[in-house]
Each structure stands twice: as structure tokens, then as C-alpha cells.
Amino acid sequence: MEALIRKDESALSGVPQRWGAINWRRIERNVRAMQIRIAKATQEGDWRRVKALQRSLTRSFSAKASAVKRVTENQGKRTAGVDRELWDSPEARWEAIGRLKRRGYRPMPLRRVYIPKANGKERPLGIPTMLDRAMQALYLLALEPVSEGTSDPNSYGFRINRSTADAMSQLFLNLSKKASARWILEADIRGCFDHISHDWLEHNVPMDKVVLRKWLKAGVVFQGQFQATEAGTPQGGIISPTLANVALNGLEAQLAEFLRAKRGVAGTRRAKVNVVRYADDFVITGETPEVLEHEVKPWVEQFLAVRGLSLSTEKTRVVNIAKGFDFLGWNFRKYSGTLLIKPSKKNAQAFYRKVKEVVSVNKTVRQTDLIRMLNPMLRGWAQYHSPVVAKTAFTRMEHVVFNVLWRWAKRRHPQKSADWVRSKYFATVGRRNWVFGTKLVNGDGSEGWSELYSLAGTPIRRHKKVRGDYHPFDPAQEMYGESLRQERMLEGMAHRKQWIRLYVSQRGLCALCQCKITKESGWHDHHIEYRVHGGSDALGNRVLLHPNCHAQVHARSIDVVKPASPVGEAM
């Protein structure tokens, strides 16, 4: 085994001596090759081999470098733990690779912070140190191929190429037909992340038990006081969502086994029990309320109790599809036998309050700056709801946002008439009136136009659901996975046709490091010849880069060339 890993490592082009010399394309390939072997051993049930391969992966240079790269390029890279340490330089990142060792490793307590929830309460987050985050990312590389191979087919949260839209589409399949189940058990787990049994995790999570125990018992620090952790896995840790998924895996498969043993195959089919889960949120369909109340719910409570969890009595209920229910920000309800999925009122109200707050605290900013702050919010909310029946919700939201912006504009000029305010802040664009927009000056001195994103103009597109049996580490499904990734990336770029053309011409790879561009990694639009130096906006002068690669290009004056399309290589 060690010889195989040494062979993997020797595939690197020489031995890199600094962070900037690492060949990230090759690192990505090495890690994936080892993950595929772990997944294969999992499918074969060879757990001794799984353990040996996981150990080899977590000791490899490729996995350690990949883990450091992840924690220094994600959104939390500027948030320090209790040691206040950040890896914000190439030298610090290179040194960090050598610090990822199992022997002598002792995680530090997490820094406890609280963030507001939509219902007015606060959600506790635990922020690990950079070293602990990197160690979690390292061991997650070895755990993910196992968890993917043992997950329920209709579990969609925090899994590769799966999303809330997939969960929504599965529920549509389960509920939309005339003969579909009519009753739904809305289940809510009380404090899932805070109450998972440590003993259960230590005995059932297929990873290094010693390291896992150290993370679970690390404790938290809040307002200078240390608090021991006797249960739960902290929200905020990189590996925590996967640990929660492992704890809840089997909910769907074991429930089906229970019903078959009690009712038989035909009786189970008539009961129409289907489970759809996203992380710790799940719903279960059933033909009658009795099936859900007297058979399914007691079994679920017993399943959770073994893991130290329980259902919330206040939020768990059985409801008829004709009355509808909310799940993942959408409302599911049948109107005269037709299932319609719409943005939920609670979700729309929470988004409106968020927009109103941004406008309220930016009373004096320039119009272009306010548009720049609001557009990502509006576009993100609209794209989230674009697969459902949302046209009416979009139009209504655009109207109330307009009222907020009109008050913002009128407040700035209390002595001016309404016509004057309208001509200054609003315009007619094509057939659209009252467009909140203004002229702006580009970096090259040319004039441009900045306008608020049109919610009502967002097209409704039916989401193509991921296959239930999709396994991201199965080589036989490699082509399907790449096709799925490309389709979803292009959907995310739908509002910018030029980005689509760049993405396709680059085969979905960053022009600098040649690694995949994904929704998680993000992307920047880079001008090869800078606009301030006379470079044009033509596609021949532009490439897509990872945000971190883009920062390196400007910081180190790296010349980027238009990449040739790879030949004979999968994206």
C-alpha cells in the first residue's frame, strides 16, 4: 500500500518547494484516484482495505495540500479561531502542509459565536482554528467516498452535485400524480447538531476514531469561558454536515425494511411511504394519517433515539397535501388536485426584510454602489426559486422592493418633485418602465449602464433532478457526473451568455491552474490585457479564473494566455 502511495506522490512534477510551485491539476487527480479506490472497497464491503486506504490518503502530500487549499480559499478564510491565526500568505500555507500530522495532534476549543435565525432566535456556530479546519478537510477527503457509498438515495443535503432543487423535484414526483400520497409527516429534529450522541458517532463513523474523539471533545470558548462538549457536533466545522449525514443515513432504507416486514411488499406499496431528506430536514409521505402517526412516526423516534436525537413536538405534524406544507423555502400544496410549488410566505418575508435592511443602512451611498450590493441578493433569490411556480412571487417582490427604493430616493431629495426624483434614479429600458438604474464610467473611461436585477424577468426553468443512485466516486458514472456539473454551472451563468461561451471554450477548467470551475469554487472574469492598459471586452481577451487564482495573477503579475481546449481529456 505504501508503495502505491509513493508512486502517486512521485507522479508530481518534481518535489515542489513552495506553495506557488504546486501542480494543482495533478494534486486533484491524485486525490480523486485514491478516493475512487476507497469507494470501490466500500462497495465491496472490504472494511479493512477501506481503513488502510483512508490512512494512506490522509498521510499523502496531495491530500494535505488539497485540504490547506480548501480552507484558505473558502468564505471562512478570513475568520480566525481561538488562536487568532490566519494562513494568509503563500509561506504560511506551505508551512501548514507539514503541520497536518496525526501524531501529537491536539485540536483547540472552538470559538463560539451566535448568528440570527429567521424566527428571531440565534444559531450557535463553532469556529475551529485554521489547523483544525485543515485537519477536518483532510479527513473529510477520506470519509466522503465512504459516506456517499452508504447514503440513502433520497438524501440531498451537503452531498456532491446534489441540492435543495433535487429534493424539491423528488417531492414533486412523489406528490404530483392523482394517485400519489395525500398525507405528509413534517419532521423537525430538535437541535440535531447539538445533540448527536458522541458514543454513537465514535462507534459508527468509518474514520479514524482517535481523531474523531478529539474533535468531539475539544470544547468551546464563549466570552472567555471554556465549556466542555458532551454531545453534538459543532455547526461551522467542515466535517460536521457529513457526520450528521452519516448519523441519519439509513432512515430511508431501514424504514422501508421495517414496513416490508410488517406489511409485506404489496402493503408497503399501498402505504406510499417515501422519505426525502435534506441534511436534518426531512418529510415522509403516506397514504393515510394513521400510517404516519401510528407506524412511521414511532419508528422514526426510535431510530433517532439510538443516535441521541428526538423530534420536536411543536414543529412535527401530519398534514394533508390539500392544506400544504413548507419545506426548504417552498410551499407544496395541491389546488383542486394539481400540485403547485411556490416560494413560501416565510421565505419571501425573510428576504424582503434582508433587502430592506441593506437599503436602510445605506441611505447615503451612490446609486451604483447600492445596485452592486442588491443585485447578487436579488439574483440569488430569484435563481433559487426559478424551478418552481414563482412568477407571481417575483412580480410581488419586485413591487415591494421598488417601494423601498422609491422611499430611499425621495428621502435623499426631500425638496424635489416626484418627477425630478424619477428622472434622476429611474429610466425606461425597452418596454420596461421605472427601471432603477444609472450611467457609470468604466475603468477604461467608457460609459456603461448599471441597473437593478429584474426579478420579474427571471425565466422559470424546470430543474433536472440528479439520479438517486448517482455516486460521484464511481468511475462508471464519471461521464454522467461531469455532464451534470456542466449543466448546473451553465444554469448558474444563465444571465451572462458570454460567461457560458468562456466556460465551454475552456472545457470548464480554470485558465491558470487547469482545475475544475464549480459553484463551490466560484469564478472571476479576467481580462488578459487589462482594460486600464487598453484591453477590450472581447471574448478573445477574457478568461475565467478561480477567485484565488485571479488574486495571484494580479499580486504576482502572472501572464495568462488563452488556453487551448484539452484534447482527449474529460472536463
Side-chain angles (χ1 to χ4, degrees):
M1 185 56 59
E2 294 299 327
L4 289 172
I5 297 303
R6 285 195 294 271
K7 183 179 179 181
D8 286 339
E9 297 306 316
S10 66
L12 294 168
S13 54
V15 179
Q17 299 299 319
R18 56 187 176 85
W19 182 260
I22 297 176
N23 185 333
W24 290 111
R25 179 65 170 161
R26 199 156 289 167
I27 289 287
E28 187 179 85
R29 286 176 173 174
N30 290 342
V31 171
R32 180 158 182 83
M34 288 187 272
Q35 288 179 315
I36 288 172
R37 292 165 62 193
I38 293 172
K40 186 173 184 292
T42 302
Q43 290 174 332
E44 295 171 352
D46 190 347
W47 295 105
R48 286 188 62 184
R49 187 160 173 260
V50 167
K51 188 175 180 180
L53 288 168
Q54 286 182 318
R55 187 186 306 115
S56 298
L57 176 59
T58 55
R59 293 178 179 179
S60 69
F61 174 85
S62 292
K64 291 178 180 180
S66 181
V68 173
K69 184 174 188 285
R70 172 172 179 172
V71 301
T72 55
E73 294 184 5
N74 61 15
Q75 291 184 344
K77 63 184 179 182
R78 296 187 181 90
T79 305
V82 292
D83 61 353
R84 300 296 175 182
E85 181 183 5
L86 292 176
W87 296 341
D88 50 6
S89 69
E91 294 76 18
R93 295 171 186 176
W94 177 253
E95 180 187 354
I97 296 176
R99 294 172 60 188
L100 300 186
K101 297 178 180 178
R102 180 180 185 274
R103 178 173 294 179
Y105 170 64
R106 288 192 63 185
M108 298 187 71
L110 294 90
R111 182 161 68 92
R112 172 74 81 205
V113 296
Y114 290 88
I115 59 172
K117 296 171 64 175
N119 59 8
K121 297 182 180 180
E122 290 185 323
R123 184 190 306 278
L125 287 184
I127 302 177
T129 64
M130 292 297 292
L131 177 61
D132 294 336
R133 266 177 263 176
M135 286 291 285
Q136 289 188 20
L138 175 63
Y139 280 86
L140 179 58
L141 290 173
L143 176 61
E144 217 166 22
V146 185
S147 66
E148 284 290 341
T150 56
S151 291
D152 291 326
N154 291 308
S155 163
Y156 298 99
F158 303 106
R159 295 180 60 192
I160 299 170
N161 275 343
R162 292 177 182 244
S163 65
T164 53
D166 291 309
M168 176 272 297
S169 299
Q170 181 61 37
L171 269 176
F172 180 83
L173 294 174
N174 292 340
L175 298 170
S176 59
K177 299 181 180 65
K178 186 176 181 180
S180 296
R182 296 173 295 166
W183 293 86
I184 293 90
L185 171 65
E186 281 188 87
D188 183 88
I189 301 176
R190 181 185 289 110
C192 177
F193 284 89
D194 298 327
H195 296 104
I196 298 179
S197 166
H198 284 182
D199 288 339
W200 191 94
L201 289 174
E202 289 177 22
H203 286 92
N204 292 277
V205 176
M207 66 167 289
D208 190 309
K209 310 299 183 186
V210 174
V211 175
L212 176 61
R213 188 179 302 112
K214 288 179 179 180
W215 286 335
L216 297 176
K217 301 299 184 183
V220 298
V221 172
F222 179 61
Q223 295 181 343
Q225 298 293 319
F226 175 82
Q227 301 171 7
T229 47
E230 300 301 329
T233 177
Q235 296 188 61
I238 286 178
I239 204 170
S240 294
T242 303
L243 294 180
N245 266 340
V246 172
L248 295 175
N249 280 341
L251 178 64
E252 181 179 357
Q254 293 179 32
L255 175 58
E257 289 179 9
F258 164 75
L259 290 173
R260 280 195 297 268
K262 184 173 183 177
R263 289 174 155 262
V265 175
T268 301
R269 191 180 299 114
R270 287 193 298 271
K272 300 176 184 177
V273 174
N274 297 285
V275 180
V276 176
R277 179 169 68 85
Y278 188 90
D280 59 333
D281 294 327
F282 63 93
V283 295
I284 304 177
T285 68
E287 177 61 14
T288 64
E290 290 77 20
V291 170
L292 297 176
E293 283 281 7
H294 304 306
E295 296 182 39
V296 173
K297 186 179 176 182
W299 183 91
V300 170
E301 289 174 334
Q302 183 179 3
F303 175 88
L304 295 176
V306 174
R307 293 150 176 80
L309 302 172
S310 61
L311 293 175
S312 169
T313 55
E314 299 83 15
K315 298 180 181 179
T316 300
R317 61 178 186 145
V318 175
V319 62
N320 191 284
I321 189 61
K323 290 189 176 180
F325 65 97
D326 290 348
F327 184 60
L328 301 176
W330 292 299
N331 178 260
F332 297 74
R333 184 178 175 184
K334 271 191 174 180
Y335 298 82
S336 302
T338 301
L339 178 68
L340 296 182
I341 306 174
K342 304 177 182 180
S344 69
K345 291 182 180 179
K346 183 178 178 181
N347 179 274
Q349 290 170 353
F351 178 71
Y352 171 70
R353 287 195 297 268
K354 186 178 177 182
V355 171
K356 189 175 180 182
E357 182 181 0
V358 170
V359 176
S360 178
V361 300
N362 290 283
K363 294 183 175 70
T364 60
V365 301
R366 296 183 305 168
Q367 185 180 7
T368 53
D369 294 333
L370 184 61
I371 291 173
R372 194 175 297 116
M373 285 184 276
L374 290 178
N375 273 357
M377 297 168 55
L378 296 171
R379 184 179 294 113
W381 187 77
Q383 288 183 347
Y384 183 84
H385 293 295
S386 62
V388 303
V389 183
K391 274 295 183 183
T392 301
F394 288 165
T395 302
R396 186 183 300 117
M397 184 62 69
E398 191 162 273
H399 175 70
V400 295
V401 169
F402 164 80
N403 289 337
V404 172
L405 294 174
W406 176 251
R407 290 194 295 270
W408 175 87
K410 284 280 290 179
R411 182 188 177 280
R412 293 162 72 93
H413 307 281
Q415 305 302 320
K416 298 292 185 180
S417 67
D419 287 340
W420 187 93
V421 173
R422 175 183 177 178
S423 64
K424 180 172 177 61
Y425 292 102
F426 298 86
T428 298
V429 180
R431 296 183 178 180
R432 296 165 55 216
N433 298 318
W434 290 88
V435 176
F436 189 71
T438 184
K439 292 181 180 179
L440 54 81
V441 179
N442 296 318
D444 57 1
S446 63
E447 284 193 347
W449 174 255
S450 174
E451 68 177 56
L452 195 71
Y453 178 82
S454 173
L455 290 173
T458 304
I460 302 299
R461 294 187 177 90
R462 176 64 64 86
H463 179 77
K464 183 180 177 182
K465 192 185 86 69
V466 66
R467 287 193 333 225
D469 64 347
Y470 170 61
H471 193 321
F473 299 104
D474 184 352
Q477 300 190 46
E478 182 78 14
M479 187 175 295
Y480 172 77
E482 290 299 335
S483 175
L484 191 68
R485 179 179 67 87
Q486 182 180 12
E487 289 175 8
R488 297 191 173 182
M489 280 296 301
L490 294 178
E491 287 175 6
M493 297 177 175
H495 61 287
R496 291 292 295 271
K497 293 181 180 179
Q498 291 183 342
W499 283 355
I500 293 176
R501 292 176 64 183
L502 289 173
Y503 179 82
V504 172
S505 69
Q506 294 177 206
R507 302 286 304 275
L509 304 176
C510 170
L512 183 65
C513 70
Q514 290 297 299
C515 292
K516 296 174 184 176
I517 295 175
T518 65
K519 287 185 177 181
E520 291 72 26
S521 70
W523 65 90
H524 282 177
D525 188 348
H526 171 68
H527 289 70
I528 298 173
E529 183 180 357
Y530 297 173
R531 283 184 294 181
V532 295
H533 297 156
S536 72
D537 282 330
L539 292 181
N541 188 49
R542 291 158 59 191
V543 291
L544 296 181
L545 302 172
H546 289 134
N548 190 62
C549 292
H550 196 196
Q552 289 185 45
V553 166
H554 286 275
R556 298 164 55 193
S557 300
I558 299 174
D559 291 329
V560 179
V561 296
K562 195 78 174 176
S565 297
V567 179
E569 182 177 29
M571 203 177 12

